[in-house]
Each structure stands twice: as C-alpha cells, then as structure tokens.
Amino acid sequence: MSASAEKTVPPGLEAYAELDKRLLAAVKGINILSTVSWPASLEDRMIESYGKGQYALPEVSYRKPDHSEVRKELAAIEKDAGDGDPIREYLRRTAESWRIAAEMLESVGTDGVTAPSIQLYGRPGDAIPGSHYSNLDAARYFVELSDELGADMADDDIVTNISSELLRKDLSKVLDDFFGQGVIAVEVDNDLTAKAAAGATRIRLRGGTRFSQYDRHQLLNHEAFVHSLTALNGREQPVLASLARTSPRVTATQEGLAVFAELMSGAIDIARLKRISLRILALDMALNGADFVEVYRFFNRCGQSVADSFHSAQRVFRGVPLTGGSAFAKDNVYLSGLLDVHTFFRWALKERRLDLLRYLFAGKLTLGDVMSLEAYFQSGAITAPRWLPPWMQHVHGLAGKLAFSLFINRIRMSKVEAGALSAGL
C-alpha cells in the first residue's frame, strides 16, 4: 500500500481511529525543538566571542506559546480513551505525554521547563532496568573507555572533507534508490543548529558544515533508516496515523533504536559514544548548579572544539535559564534508549521473537507498545512495516551479532584471568 493510497479502518476500530485523528489535530501546533532552539545568528556571534576567550552568558529570548486550548483537548482525549484495551492505553499515554510537553513549552525560558523535561526524558541518575547501574554510570564508563583507547587510536581516517551540498547529492541518490524517487528530500539548511534533522519526507543538513564518512554513515542509518523510515511506515497505518509522529513518550525508544542502528551497521565509533555520554555528564552538571560557561568549558576540556563545545552546551540549556540548576533533559535518552533497545533485541533473539523486532519499525512505538499491541499486528489492524533498514533485512547477520553478545555476556573475566589468557596459560 502506498502512502497516498486510501486506508480502510477495520470494522469495530472506528472509535479508535477517530480518537487518533483528534490527537493528531490537537498536537499539530506543538513543536518542541523549534520552540526551545536558539537562533543560528546568536550561536555564530557567541562562538566567535568564546574563541577569543570572552565567556559572557548568551542572552536568549524565546517566544512562549499558548497551548491552553490544546491542553484541554488532550486532557479530554485522555479521559475519552480510558484504559484497559491496549490501543486505548496507547492513545491515553500518548495524549498525556503531549500534554506534559505543552505545559513544558509554556514555561520556556524559565526553570519550569526542567521538571517536565525530566518527566518526559528521565534524569542522568536513573537506574538502568535490569542492573544496579545508572545512566550516569554508563556515561562515565564510555567516556573513560574512550579516553583509554584514544591514546592508541589514530584519527587520520576521520577526515571532514565532505561539504553539505556534496553530502546532499549523495544522500538523495541513496534514498531515491531505497525508498523511491522523491519520497525523501534532502536539503541544506543554513539556520539549522544540529548537524542534521529528519522528518518523514525531508532530511535537513546544516549549511556550511563539513562532514566525514562516519557522519555520512551515521546520517543514513540514524536519521534516514530509522527516523524517516518509521515515520513513513507510520503513515501507512489505517487506524493509528499518530504512529507517524514522534510523541514525547516514544523519544527514548526512537533515539535508542537510531543509535542501535548505528551500532549494527558499523556506523558508530568510540568518539560518537563519548559525545553522547559527555552530554549526560553535562546534564548532571547543569542540574547540580553549573552554568552555561562551566558546561562549555567542560566540553572544551574534554577535547571538543570551540564550536562543538558551544553547540553541546547549548543542547543542555535549550529553553532554560543559563545560570545553573536547570536543564533540558532530552539528551538523557540517547544512551539509556540504546541500552534498553539493545537489551530488548537480545531478549527477542533469545525468545525467537524476531517478529517483535520488525514491529518496532511499523511506526513511532515504545518497546512496551510492541508487546502490548501484538494482537493488533497479528490481526492486521496495525500493519507490518513496508520498509525495514538494510541491517534488519539480513536476519542471519543480525542474529549472529546478537547471539555473540548474548553468549559473551555470560562470561565474567577478571584481570587475573585475562592476564593468564594473554600469557597462554
């Protein structure tokens, strides 16, 4: 079925489809990242100043939206959805997460953003399910590992020699071949603060930026073959069209799945894991009182350039005061989401449930949704994904990677044992 084909709602599910339409209509005007983002012109000026050692706090102003009517409608949808049935529960939880996001955005520019952002995205000290470690522990581990390996790893092969325009042409050809001609447009955006951003039918690249081959592979596998792909598959859904849009409650799974895709496709390097982890450490610093300049200096001391350090600090302080004690917690989900998704994939392999892994790509879902909505996948009320990432299409290769990690996790090796092995004992 093509995205433009008319979708028929299965009998008996019309009420769900109507609630879903109301949900999509209600959240149409909620744009989280654009509301909390900083102007590119401000960033350019401040990066120049910071490069000269002039560390004044940026002066950022935001336009506060009025989502009062939206919040009322979302509360009504939560009530009308009720609970019990898995689709009703999906609709209720999704409406609730959007309502929290609307409240958060109405506080933009104040510390009122911090608590709801933590409610949506978690905090660095949260425990990793199934372990006695926290997200903060995992971040420290990857930073320490990267630093240990860094002395022995040359960066000569990581060359940023691809212009944004050249990358645009390259990605356009690859995506036309995979999804079909013109399904996803690739554009250069000079006002974009992130290196790239993906929607269902458009991927934007930051203008004036040089990219490496690692960047290219990461953008393909993270942005195109997860974020855009799940959005396109979500558009195919006859009942839950909201599966085409990333609600706040699915952000952790979506970002975790996207980073996991980098891992499975060989598009991630230890420096990328370090960058993700440093952001979590920086979030913890900000929540504990560090101001913008202190967080900037932290990134700079950790080896990031002036521009990268500024952009990294900016991510932490989007939408909040810059004087310390506040943070926008979204960057917390990348590592915690990766760990959750990796655990889920290993569990599904152990239980011979590769069907559940395919369901993850049918739209913007959480890991819990895949389990609770299984009966609707089986009945066809939620359709199987039309597209799967290249690495998911080779099940034997995926199974081989996961099977190895599944078994190797049973092996606990002390430093003494490792020394004995290296000595041939």
Side-chain angles (χ1 to χ4, degrees), residues 247-259:
S247 66
R249 64 180 287 269
V250 306
T251 302
T253 297
Q254 271 288 296
E255 297 298 351
L257 185 60
V259 179

Side-chain angles (χ1 to χ4, degrees), residues 31-229:
N31 296 292
I32 296 175
L33 294 185
S34 62
T35 301
V36 301
S37 65
W38 296 11
S41 57
L42 169 66
E43 293 190 355
D44 292 341
R45 292 197 308 272
M46 296 306 299
I47 288 170
E48 183 179 356
S49 296
Y50 275 44
K52 298 175 181 177
Q54 301 170 357
Y55 299 125
L57 290 179
E59 295 182 5
V60 188
S61 60
Y62 300 95
R63 180 176 297 177
K64 290 189 179 183
D66 179 4
H67 290 313
S68 55
E69 293 303 315
V70 171
R71 287 188 286 104
K72 288 179 184 177
E73 171 64 357
L74 288 170
I77 293 170
E78 290 177 63
K79 182 179 179 180
D80 292 345
D83 52 25
D85 178 274
I87 288 187
R88 288 189 177 277
E89 186 68 8
Y90 160 84
L91 290 166
R92 185 187 67 77
R93 288 180 179 273
T94 302
E96 178 187 39
S97 74
W98 279 115
R99 178 175 54 78
I100 294 169
E103 293 170 356
M104 175 181 72
L105 296 179
E106 288 183 316
S107 299
V108 68
T110 75
D111 183 49
V113 167
T114 302
S117 80
I118 290 173
Q119 190 176 356
L120 293 173
Y121 308 122
R123 66 166 61 242
D126 289 345
I128 298 169
S131 81
H132 60 276
Y133 296 109
S134 71
N135 202 29
L136 200 56
D137 292 327
R140 288 173 179 145
Y141 168 79
F142 285 116
V143 170
E144 290 171 5
L145 180 63
S146 175
D147 289 342
E148 288 174 9
L149 294 174
D152 300 321
M153 296 168 63
D155 289 337
D156 295 342
D157 59 332
I158 304 177
V159 181
T160 54
N161 60 353
I162 306 172
S163 69
S164 51
E165 180 57 31
L166 187 61
L167 184 59
R168 183 196 68 77
K169 293 178 180 177
D170 179 22
L171 295 182
S172 293
K173 183 181 185 307
V174 174
L175 298 181
D176 282 350
D177 291 342
F178 186 86
F179 291 103
Q181 186 72 32
V183 173
I184 297 179
V186 184
E187 303 173 356
V188 174
D189 185 346
N190 292 324
D191 293 324
L192 189 66
T193 54
K195 264 194 170 182
T201 59
R202 184 175 65 149
I203 292 176
R204 291 176 294 154
L205 307 173
R206 188 167 71 206
T209 302
R210 310 292 291 186
F211 297 85
S212 68
Q213 281 297 328
Y214 262 120
D215 292 329
R216 176 190 180 276
H217 294 318
Q218 182 212 332
L219 289 172
L220 270 177
N221 289 284
H222 184 116
E223 303 290 353
F225 293 147
V226 172
H227 290 326
S228 294
L229 180 145

Side-chain angles (χ1 to χ4, degrees), residues 192-309:
L192 189 66
T193 54
K195 264 194 170 182
T201 59
R202 184 175 65 149
I203 292 176
R204 291 176 294 154
L205 307 173
R206 188 167 71 206
T209 302
R210 310 292 291 186
F211 297 85
S212 68
Q213 281 297 328
Y214 262 120
D215 292 329
R216 176 190 180 276
H217 294 318
Q218 182 212 332
L219 289 172
L220 270 177
N221 289 284
H222 184 116
E223 303 290 353
F225 293 147
V226 172
H227 290 326
S228 294
L229 180 145
T230 51
L232 288 170
N233 283 332
R235 289 187 170 194
E236 303 274 318
Q237 297 300 333
V239 178
L240 298 177
S242 59
L243 289 177
R245 184 160 185 192
T246 304
S247 66
R249 64 180 287 269
V250 306
T251 302
T253 297
Q254 271 288 296
E255 297 298 351
L257 185 60
V259 179
F260 182 77
E262 297 177 44
L263 190 65
M264 288 296 102
S265 60
I268 197 168
D269 64 348
I270 192 66
R272 165 80 166 149
L273 281 173
K274 180 179 180 179
R275 285 195 300 274
I276 292 170
S277 299
L278 286 174
R279 293 171 188 169
I280 294 168
L281 300 182
L283 273 173
D284 188 60
M285 288 176 60
L287 290 171
N288 284 296
D291 66 16
F292 181 88
V293 172
E294 291 172 305
V295 171
Y296 162 84
R297 284 174 166 160
F298 164 73
F299 283 115
N300 200 229
R301 285 196 307 271
C302 290
Q304 293 190 6
S305 68
V306 172
D308 286 345
S309 297

